[in-house]
Amino acid sequence: MLIRSRNRENGEMKVPTLALKSVAVLLLSSAMVVGSQEQPASSVPKVQPSPEQPATEAPQTGSQPAQTEPQSAAPLRVMVGKSLLLNTRERIKRISVTDAAIADPLVVAPTQILVHGRAPGEVSLLIWDELERSRSFDLRVDVDVSAVAEEEKRVFPDEQIAVTPSRSAIVLSGHVSTEDVAKRAGMIADAYSKNVVNVLTFGPVGAQEILLEVKFAEVDRTAVTQLGINLFAPGLGNTIAQTQTGQFGTITTTHPAPTIVTTPTGTTTTSTPSTVNISDFLNVFVTRTDVNVGAVIKALQQKNLLQILAEPNLIAVNGKEASFLAGGEFPFPVVQPGNGVNAITIQFREFGVRLKFTPVIMPSGNIHLKVIPEVSTLDFANGLTISGFNVPALSTRRADTEFELQDGQSFVIAGLMDNRVTNIANKIPGLGDIPILGNFFRSKSTQKSNAELMVLCTVRRVSPSAQPPTGPANPQPFLDKNKFDGKKPSGSSK
């Protein structure tokens, strides 16, 4: 323990002897006038961190032994770089502090002590009065957090963030809405001190729940027009003719060798008819066997209409994510490279109507939502063939948005439209450009599609209910075991 004594002149605080003697004579004279009644002991010196000095009481004189008063229960606190003024009722003789590097006390008046905060820490402050009675105080020096608290309040006015000092550290406590807010609050405190203790909690508070009522409405229209012709002439002899663009099926003509029959009268050679293999008869198939001419015609118009309506209802706890999927999974081959051998594994990918949302109840009572609706379908037209597997593509429409609503309000995500026109034409150069007759030497396919998706969401705050909801009505009653077991089988003698 480092003992330090100070006075106003030579470093040790002592009241002049002449003044003490004068005060003692006055007190003894007063006591003799009123009688020989014993004067009671003076009150315990009171230390209070007040800027105003109370009235100074005259100390009691006499030959009483030195006393040690009990330690103060409430510790004294001062910030680093600031001062604290302590007032006492008794005149101070000397003071002592454990570590002057943490706190530096200074007697500025017979009943006043000025304490300067030097560094974070805790020390003991001892005070002796003129009667050699001492009193001990716990003195804590903390870092100044007023500037940090003001900055946190300015940046996050709606969050409950408490900034308190703890020796050399700044402690952040309370509850905030999201994890991002807790991290950013810690970064602000790092700018004021290298030692920051962030104990902020975030996320749901209590059992607050959010109900999201969603309606998916999708209309998909597709129109397809296909026109083409394949001509073929197997011929009776060695002449074979055919024209095709290869867009709608293929035609293969095979001319086998002639049949030779040898008889005693001579050798007979018979031509074998040609064989025509048609992979796709398309829509119209025409042939003349007498002239060995045929045609396969593709003339098709197709219209498709697809309507999807899904109405999922999701409940999520405040701050937690909820998801919904109405669809399925399809196998997707994935090539796994190895030591010279490529292995193929199967993974399953999801498709259909999907919804993800995360609600957060704001301090103002509004509901902040992050919603990700998605509608995906299998697209075999744009699929691939990998190692013999026909893998379809995914046609996906997705939205990712954040907004804030009040309880019971709705929002609509519309305008998710997809208009496509696909035109594919094949022709034989030269012949396909001949007017009118060129239609026999070309083919075309035109596809037009129009898809529109609308998402309607309504958000509500709900609370758990002890009453079970009403179940759906069943068209047919289930088997009643009481009637079934009580009925005797026919033919029973009992």
Side-chain angles (χ1 to χ4, degrees):
M1 175 182 292
L2 176 63
I3 306 297
R4 302 188 63 185
S5 299
R6 296 178 178 234
N7 66 354
R8 288 168 292 181
E9 297 178 358
N10 54 5
E12 181 177 3
M13 181 58 199
K14 292 186 179 181
V15 180
T17 306
L18 181 58
L20 285 176
K21 291 181 179 181
S22 301
V23 174
V25 170
L26 292 176
L27 290 178
L28 290 174
S29 301
S30 300
M32 291 176 65
V33 171
V34 298
S36 60
Q37 183 180 0
E38 183 180 359
Q39 184 174 354
S42 60
S43 59
V44 177
K46 182 178 180 181
V47 178
Q48 51 185 3
S50 173
E52 299 180 358
Q53 179 180 356
T56 305
E57 298 181 0
Q60 184 181 8
T61 60
S63 60
Q64 298 180 358
Q67 299 179 4
T68 301
E69 300 295 340
Q71 184 177 0
S72 176
L76 304 176
R77 305 187 68 173
V78 64
M79 300 299 177
V80 176
K82 295 188 177 181
S83 300
L84 177 66
L85 182 63
L86 305 178
N87 296 325
T88 65
R89 293 182 178 179
E90 303 295 338
R91 298 174 70 87
I92 304 170
K93 182 177 181 180
R94 64 179 182 273
I95 59 175
S96 174
V97 71
T98 306
D99 189 356
I102 296 179
D104 185 15
L106 178 65
V107 178
V108 295
T111 58
Q112 288 186 339
I113 303 174
L114 186 62
V115 181
H116 301 285
R118 299 300 185 188
E122 292 185 5
V123 295
S124 296
L125 175 63
L126 300 176
I127 302 175
W128 286 270
D129 60 7
E130 294 178 342
L131 300 179
E132 292 296 333
R133 291 176 300 186
S134 64
R135 190 167 186 181
S136 176
F137 297 91
D138 290 334
L139 179 61
R140 178 181 298 176
V141 182
D142 296 322
V143 294
D144 188 6
V145 297
S146 57
V148 186
E150 293 177 0
E151 186 69 14
E152 297 283 1
K153 187 64 177 178
R154 185 187 66 83
V155 178
F156 307 106
D158 298 330
E159 303 291 348
Q160 303 298 326
I161 302 177
V163 183
T164 56
S166 178
R167 295 191 179 181
S168 62
I170 297 178
V171 180
L172 302 180
S173 60
H175 188 86
V176 295
S177 57
T178 61
E179 183 181 4
D180 182 63
V181 174
K183 291 181 178 179
R184 290 165 58 192
M187 295 173 62
I188 294 176
D190 289 336
Y192 291 86
S193 175
K194 296 181 179 180
N195 191 4
V196 177
V197 180
N198 191 346
V199 293
L200 289 172
T201 59
F202 60 89
V205 179
Q208 302 183 75
E209 297 178 349
I210 307 299
L211 171 64
L212 186 65
E213 301 175 354
V214 186
K215 290 184 179 181
F216 288 89
E218 181 183 13
V219 179
D220 190 354
R221 303 176 180 89
T222 304
V224 180
T225 301
Q226 295 177 339
L227 179 62
I229 183 171
N230 294 335
L231 302 176
F232 64 92
L236 297 178
N238 296 327
T239 302
I240 299 175
Q242 63 181 17
T243 61
Q244 59 182 350
T245 59
Q247 186 173 358
F248 306 121
T250 58
I251 299 176
T252 304
T253 304
T254 304
H255 185 68
T259 304
I260 301 175
V261 179
T262 303
T263 61
T265 57
T267 301
T268 304
T269 303
T270 305
S271 299
T272 303
S274 301
T275 302
V276 179
N277 299 320
I278 302 175
S279 62
D280 186 1
F281 281 88
L282 306 181
N283 300 99
V284 181
F285 173 72
V286 180
T287 182
R288 286 286 303 271
T289 57
D290 55 344
V291 295
N292 289 330
V293 176
V296 180
I297 302 174
K298 180 74 169 183
L300 178 65
Q301 287 185 350
Q302 181 181 1
K303 291 185 178 181
N304 299 327
L305 177 62
L306 174 63
Q307 299 184 39
I308 298 177
L309 178 62
E311 299 184 9
N313 294 338
L314 295 179
I315 297 180
V317 179
N318 181 24
K320 299 294 183 179
E321 181 183 279
S323 61
F324 166 83
L325 175 64
E329 296 181 347
F330 70 97
F332 185 83
V334 178
V335 179
Q336 301 291 341
N339 296 329
V341 179
N342 292 332
I344 297 179
T345 59
I346 301 298
Q347 296 181 359
F348 286 86
R349 303 291 178 88
E350 297 177 346
F351 70 95
V353 179
R354 180 201 301 272
L355 173 66
K356 292 182 180 179
F357 86 102
T358 304
V360 175
I361 300 179
M362 307 302 294
S364 60
N366 295 342
I367 302 175
H368 181 87
L369 284 178
K370 180 179 181 181
V371 182
I372 307 177
E374 176 184 325
V375 176
S376 58
T377 57
L378 299 179
D379 186 5
F380 289 92
N382 297 319
L384 299 175
T385 301
I386 303 176
S387 300
F389 294 95
N390 187 14
V391 182
L394 281 179
S395 178
T396 305
R397 287 170 296 280
R398 181 189 301 113
D400 188 346
T401 181
E402 294 187 26
F403 48 88
E404 191 170 313
L405 296 175
Q406 295 181 357
D407 185 14
Q409 290 185 339
S410 302
F411 72 95
V412 178
I413 301 177
L416 300 177
M417 302 183 64
D418 185 9
N419 292 323
R420 300 184 183 184
V421 177
T422 304
N423 192 356
I424 301 176
N426 294 341
K427 68 178 181 179
I428 299 176
L431 298 178
D433 298 330
I434 300 175
I436 302 177
L437 295 179
N439 293 325
F440 293 99
F441 304 99
R442 61 172 177 255
S443 61
K444 67 177 182 177
S445 175
T446 303
Q447 179 177 352
K448 298 180 179 181
S449 62
N450 174 269
E452 182 178 0
L453 175 64
M454 183 184 69
V455 182
L456 173 64
C457 299
T458 303
V459 59
R460 306 182 189 276
R461 296 181 64 173
V462 296
S463 59
S465 176
Q467 183 177 2
T470 305
N474 298 315
Q476 294 293 332
F478 290 101
L479 179 64
D480 190 345
K481 62 179 181 179
N482 296 326
K483 294 181 179 180
F484 182 83
D485 296 340
K487 185 178 180 180
K488 298 180 180 180
S490 61
S492 175
S493 59
K494 297 182 180 180

